[in-house]
Amino acid sequence: MSKVQVAVLGATGMIGQRFVQLLEGHPWFEMEGLYASERSEGKRLGEVNKVKDHAFMQETLSRRIEQIDIAKISKGCRVAFSGLPSDIAKDYEAKLSEAGVAVFSNAASHRMREDVPIIIPEVNSEHLEIVRTQPTYAKGGFIVTNANCSTTGLAAPLKAIQGAFGLEQVVVSTYQAVSGAGYPGVPSLDILGNVVPHIKGEEEKMEAEAVKILGTYRDGRIIDAGFQILASCARVPVHDGHLEALVVRTAKDATAEEYAKAMREFRGEPQHLELPTAPKVPIIVREEADRPQPLWDVNAGEPARAKGMAVTVGRVRKKDKYLKFFLLSHNTIRGGAGGSVINAELAYAKRMLR
Ligand SMILES: NC(=O)c1ccc[n+]([C@@H]2O[C@H](COP(=O)([O-])OP(=O)(O)OC[C@H]3O[C@@H](n4cnc5c(N)ncnc54)[C@H](OP(=O)(O)O)[C@@H]3O)[C@@H](O)[C@H]2O)c1
């Protein structure tokens, strides 16, 4: 069977190049073209390569970047993966969906639209149904987003806990990697040997997106989950991997062992469907007193195609009525390009890309 042709938008950026990494040799998708701004037109990927922990194939490095061309993409591609800045993404993604292309986006621009889902398939695969209500769906075009990189990390652990014990309150503090700010990101003199206790708009995004993702899909609408979430976000001098400290109050009380078991045994639809980029175990619960750490755990996930797709949880403990734990997830893979690729795999498996 022929592969689905896909475009990568923002192919010179952090997320765009993770898309290229994950799409190399993909069993269902084939890269039709790599797109960015007119500044990058004609350059080869090898000249603008920013991903240093993956060896791209020679053939991939020699591919040329093109300026975004809606007509060309809509003629040649069923899918567009977007790693564009939000202000730029809004218009391009809308035009592509109007032209019949299924857009899987990392940008925030359409995330809070009522008819656009924020999908993390282990958590809310049923929300994908809402794209059928988008005005462009009849022509085959629609927009699916994945969450902000810091929201992505906590979604699966919270889902496991919500399912078993119910959620009342979540307090989260983040320690976020510099790659989360794109390339070249935070100036080195501002971050080396430092911690910056502010990431513009991040706390608001986490608080709004978490209740939408963990909400219920009913009668063609997504109804926000009813728990309270309070986020505090900081940038730390780490290359990749967002670490988060959580304090959670559940409706039904449980022991630390029961909370850990619920997370360890949690599986979602990508695992049942055996999607190519799905980690076999989506939440890895570690017992060591000093894990998870970005240097050790950022690439957690098996098989090889799911490297960086698992969330690592550690230090699961109980204090009074509160559950406390740390988690770590790869911000440009699970929280970025990998999140969109697994969403497109889910849509393919549900026959929405035919
Ligand atoms: N980094 C993360 O951890 C992370 C995680 C989740 C979501 N996101 C979101 O993903 C998106 C991409 O983030 P990033 O970190 O990859 O950013 P980035 O490294 O700054 O890359 C931005 C990309 O967009 C292209 N671009 C910029 N202006 C353009 C224009 N006018 N027309 C066409 N292309 C244009 C750039 O191409 P040129 O090189 O030609 O300028 C580049 O390829 C953002 O919306 C971000 O919020 C990022």
Side-chain angles (χ1 to χ4, degrees):
M1 202 166 56
S2 61
K3 292 187 183 181
V4 176
Q5 298 297 302
V6 305
V8 176
L9 315 183
T12 57
M14 290 303 302
I15 296 297
Q17 300 203 342
R18 290 295 189 193
F19 273 128
V20 178
Q21 171 184 337
L22 292 161
L23 291 167
E24 274 190 328
H26 194 283
W28 299 345
F29 305 137
E30 185 167 67
M31 288 179 276
E32 177 269 348
L34 310 183
Y35 298 90
S37 78
E38 60 185 2
R39 295 178 289 276
S40 307
E41 168 88 33
K43 291 183 182 161
R44 291 188 189 275
L45 188 76
E47 294 172 55
V48 292
N49 180 10
K50 295 172 182 107
V51 170
K52 299 179 179 72
D53 59 2
H54 169 77
F56 286 104
M57 286 151 55
Q58 207 50 47
E59 178 194 334
T60 308
L61 291 170
S62 65
R63 292 188 69 150
R64 287 201 188 275
I65 309 291
E66 297 167 66
Q67 187 179 347
I68 297 177
D69 177 341
I70 304 282
K72 177 175 180 282
I73 295 171
S74 59
K75 191 156 174 255
C77 301
R78 180 72 189 89
V79 167
F81 288 111
S82 170
L84 295 172
S86 285
D87 50 336
I88 308 292
K90 189 168 187 185
D91 197 37
Y92 277 129
E93 293 176 0
K95 285 193 173 129
L96 282 165
S97 66
E98 280 158 22
V101 177
V103 179
F104 293 87
S105 174
N106 269 268
S109 21
H110 296 283
R111 273 186 208 142
M112 299 315 290
R113 241 175 72 180
E114 275 197 5
D115 58 356
V116 172
I118 307 173
I119 301 287
I120 296 175
E122 283 89 346
V123 175
N124 63 349
S125 59
E126 71 282 7
H127 290 197
L128 190 60
E129 283 302 307
I130 207 162
V131 301
R132 296 184 198 274
T133 69
Q134 291 181 18
T136 54
Y137 188 77
K139 287 189 278 175
F142 55 87
I143 300 174
V144 173
T145 64
N146 43 289
N148 176 43
C149 43
S150 49
T151 317
T152 301
L154 54 67
L158 287 186
K159 176 74 177 184
I161 294 163
Q162 183 191 40
F165 311 105
L167 282 173
E168 282 190 350
Q169 194 179 33
V170 177
V171 179
V172 54
S173 307
T174 70
Y175 308 72
Q176 297 184 216
V178 285
S179 60
Y183 200 92
V186 191
S188 57
L189 289 177
D190 288 347
I191 195 68
L192 284 175
N194 200 17
V195 173
V196 182
H198 178 239
I199 303 173
K200 194 165 176 258
E202 196 82 349
E203 294 170 0
E204 294 80 358
K205 280 188 213 163
M206 284 191 89
E207 290 166 359
E209 291 174 17
V211 291
K212 178 169 176 177
I213 294 163
L214 287 148
T216 313
Y217 178 69
R218 196 185 308 136
D219 302 330
R221 287 181 58 222
I222 297 166
I223 300 153
D224 283 356
F227 63 90
Q228 183 192 33
I229 172 162
L230 304 165
S232 302
C233 298
R235 187 78 69 196
V236 297
V238 163
H239 194 196
D240 287 320
H242 291 351
L243 186 74
E244 304 180 15
L246 280 93
V247 178
V248 178
R249 175 103 186 217
T250 56
K252 189 174 148 216
D253 200 23
T255 63
E257 291 70 30
E258 288 168 330
Y259 288 125
K261 185 170 184 280
M263 290 191 273
R264 189 181 295 112
E265 292 180 355
F266 175 79
R267 301 289 184 275
E269 197 161 4
Q271 286 71 40
H272 301 309
L273 293 172
E274 298 184 5
L275 299 179
T277 309
K280 282 199 163 36
V281 179
I283 305 172
I284 295 170
V285 180
R286 303 217 56 120
E287 302 295 335
E288 301 90 327
D290 59 355
R291 301 283 280 275
Q293 293 183 25
L295 285 179
W296 284 107
D297 300 306
V298 72
N299 286 315
E302 285 180 345
R305 182 158 286 287
K307 206 175 138 193
M309 290 295 286
V311 179
T312 306
V313 161
R315 302 205 56 221
V316 181
R317 58 220 192 275
K318 188 84 188 293
K319 170 81 176 170
D320 302 328
K321 292 276 183 198
Y322 295 94
L323 156 69
K324 303 200 290 178
F325 63 98
F326 278 88
L327 65 84
L328 179 88
S329 78
H330 198 308
N331 52 295
T332 60
I333 297 186
R334 181 78 233 205
S340 291
V341 171
I342 199 170
N343 286 347
E345 291 171 356
L346 178 74
Y348 179 90
K350 288 181 177 283
R351 309 181 77 81
M352 293 166 85
L353 298 180
R354 312 290 159 90

